[in-house]
Amino acid sequence: MPGTSYPTTQRRYLNDTYLYDISSTILAVEPMPPDTSAGSNKMPYFGLVIAETVFHPQGGGQPSDVGRVVGENGVTFFVDNVRVGENAIIYHYGTFQHEMSENEDGARCIPFRSGEKVKLEIDAARRRLHARLHSAGHALDVAVLRLGLELRPTKGYHFEDHPFVEYLGRLPADKGSSERLIEALTLKIQELIEEDIATELYSTSKAEAASILSGGVKDVAHFPEGAQVRLVSVGGNICPCGGTHVKSTKELRGVEITRIKTKKNVTKISYRISKEGKERQIS
């Protein structure tokens, strides 16, 4: 992991899922080990540390944003992966658009410099898709509660390939076959969509969060003392979450439960969601 002697990155996306671009300041440009895998374009790979970011890093079951960072002189850096390092510093990984020149000593001249003002732009269509996928997982939790299933969510995977939520517990025999439950859960989610319930986002103290959440202290045990806890309410169900979410459940049209599988005492419910249309690609 790169050095960590930088200030904590300010995460602008936490307050606005639909914020797609901002201006910020480069703090560091760190060279990464070269990619020697088959098919690599062999372009030098870097990690940018930026004072504020609009890029959501991979984590919490949600993939990272992608996009670009544009410098004052028009130099473009394409971001293909974003991760959180130590001390909550966010690293933006990727490559510069063009080959870099070399100085007299043969060292590459890095186009960005510390303190340079840059513009950050994310792929807006990808952001909206990720927000819908993540919120759909939370909506599934609400559907489970409304059906009276005694399942506790323990893991969410909100990637496009095969999103799912895992729950601790088994399905009761009196609820019918998995096919009937798939239909019932899908109908409950459709009800949430029609109810058009606004998503709420707010931060509070660890102690206050413990008093609000159904799981109490155990729901916030992993947060350090004195930390602010970000709470998200999707469909009226509140939980700690650092992801991006839709404004309202009406944006979840196209959600469909696809599979329910129980192994030992874990129930995995898979779903899918239709895209809102052809995604815009940043070029």
Side-chain angles (χ1 to χ4, degrees):
M1 180 60 65
T4 56
S5 57
Y6 311 115
T8 297
T9 309
Q10 299 301 305
R11 308 184 188 201
R12 295 282 299 279
Y13 61 84
L14 287 175
N15 296 321
D16 188 356
T17 290
Y18 305 90
L19 180 64
Y20 303 134
D21 59 83
I22 63 169
S23 295
S24 190
T25 305
I26 294 288
L27 299 182
V29 182
E30 300 195 354
M32 297 291 104
D35 183 0
T36 58
S37 60
S40 169
N41 62 14
K42 302 298 189 296
M43 290 285 284
Y45 205 62
F46 293 88
L48 303 185
V49 181
I50 307 173
E52 299 177 90
T53 190
V54 72
F55 285 82
H56 182 284
Q58 181 169 317
Q62 180 174 328
S64 79
D65 284 317
V66 298
R68 61 188 175 191
V69 179
V70 182
E72 295 172 327
N73 58 358
V75 170
T76 299
F77 179 87
F78 290 109
V79 178
D80 60 28
N81 194 7
V82 186
R83 298 297 180 105
V84 181
E86 295 180 7
N87 300 329
I89 297 166
I90 294 179
Y91 292 87
H92 307 72
Y93 296 109
T95 58
F96 286 97
Q97 183 177 17
H98 301 296
E99 289 280 357
M100 289 176 287
S101 60
E102 297 182 353
N103 61 24
E104 295 178 353
D105 298 325
R108 289 192 176 96
C109 299
I110 298 175
F112 288 164
R113 66 186 186 280
S114 178
E116 181 174 349
K117 299 296 183 182
V118 291
K119 185 174 183 180
L120 286 65
E121 304 173 353
I122 64 167
D123 186 314
R126 181 179 168 104
R127 160 65 65 80
R128 290 192 296 270
L129 176 61
H130 290 173
R132 293 175 72 227
L133 284 163
H134 199 151
S135 294
H138 286 235
L140 176 56
D141 294 343
V142 179
V144 165
L145 289 171
R146 289 189 175 188
L147 274 183
L149 301 177
E150 295 184 0
L151 301 175
R152 182 168 65 86
T154 58
K155 178 183 179 180
Y157 179 83
H158 311 299
F159 285 61
E160 186 179 356
D161 51 358
H162 56 277
F164 64 83
V165 179
E166 284 187 355
Y167 298 87
L168 184 63
R170 300 180 62 86
L171 297 173
D174 62 353
K175 292 295 183 180
S177 66
S178 61
E179 289 78 13
R180 289 183 61 185
L181 278 172
I182 286 173
E183 182 179 353
L185 285 169
T186 298
L187 287 174
K188 288 297 180 184
I189 290 178
Q190 294 307 312
E191 290 176 6
L192 285 169
I193 293 169
E194 295 305 320
E195 290 171 21
D196 189 13
I197 303 171
T199 299
E200 297 181 37
L201 310 171
Y202 52 98
S203 294
T204 187
S205 67
K206 181 177 179 179
E208 179 66 16
S211 70
I212 294 171
L213 299 169
S214 59
V217 174
K218 70 174 182 291
D219 281 348
V220 294
H222 59 289
F223 288 94
E225 293 301 325
Q228 286 287 295
V229 179
R230 182 180 187 250
L231 298 179
V232 175
S233 174
V234 175
N237 186 44
I238 304 173
C239 68
C241 183
T244 57
H245 290 279
V246 298
K247 291 180 179 178
S248 164
T249 54
K250 73 177 180 180
E251 296 179 48
L252 299 179
R253 296 188 187 280
V255 175
E256 180 183 358
I257 308 303
T258 58
R259 187 183 185 194
I260 299 177
K261 181 180 180 180
T262 299
K263 185 176 182 180
K264 295 184 178 179
N265 198 40
V266 175
T267 297
K268 179 179 178 180
I269 304 179
S270 301
Y271 62 95
R272 63 182 171 220
I273 189 167
S274 62
K275 293 184 180 180
E276 60 181 358
K278 187 176 181 180
E279 294 190 43
R280 177 180 65 85
Q281 299 295 325
I282 289 180
S283 59

